[in-house]
Amino acid sequence: MIGSPDEDRLTPALWGTAAILTLGGFLSMFTSTVVTVALGTIAAGFRAPLGTAQWIVTGYLLALAAMVPVSGWASRSADRVPCPARRRGKSPSVTTRWIGVAWCSP
């Protein structure tokens, strides 16, 4: 029967996918905000004018944008390799990103 309650439920796999995508989007916004907020401190640390230090943020955001297609390719390539973490619903790339963010935090 179309529209039955069982068909309208979201599957756990869909919830996991939504959680990973939301977390990835949050991390992108969070890290770019951290770099932008720290711009004054970065400029003072390098004794550079603010206009020069803004290139740091530009370079960071360009590198972040360049990684979008690369991560899509890596994700498709990784599907061919068995990964136990993926079966448990944990994305190795998101975990690695969290470790990197925590490592770079003061």
Side-chain angles (χ1 to χ4, degrees):
M1 173 179 205
I2 296 176
S4 67
D6 289 337
E7 289 179 3
D8 293 339
R9 292 189 59 200
L10 298 176
T11 64
L14 186 59
W15 277 109
T17 302
I20 289 171
L21 290 173
T22 302
L23 183 62
F26 170 77
L27 284 175
S28 294
M29 289 186 297
F30 177 73
T31 55
S32 63
T33 301
V34 167
V35 171
T36 303
V37 169
L39 187 58
T41 306
I42 292 170
F46 286 115
R47 294 188 178 107
L50 189 60
T52 303
Q54 286 175 339
W55 283 103
I56 294 170
V57 176
T58 303
Y60 175 76
L61 293 175
L62 285 172
L64 188 65
M67 290 309 295
V68 170
V70 172
S71 63
W73 169 83
S75 175
R76 265 186 266 120
S77 297
D79 284 342
R80 291 179 281 222
V81 178
C83 178
R86 200 174 305 116
R87 282 194 296 269
R88 291 190 305 262
K90 297 175 184 165
S91 172
S93 61
V94 172
T95 304
T96 305
R97 178 82 186 256
W98 269 113
I99 292 169
V101 169
W103 185 38
C104 293
S105 299

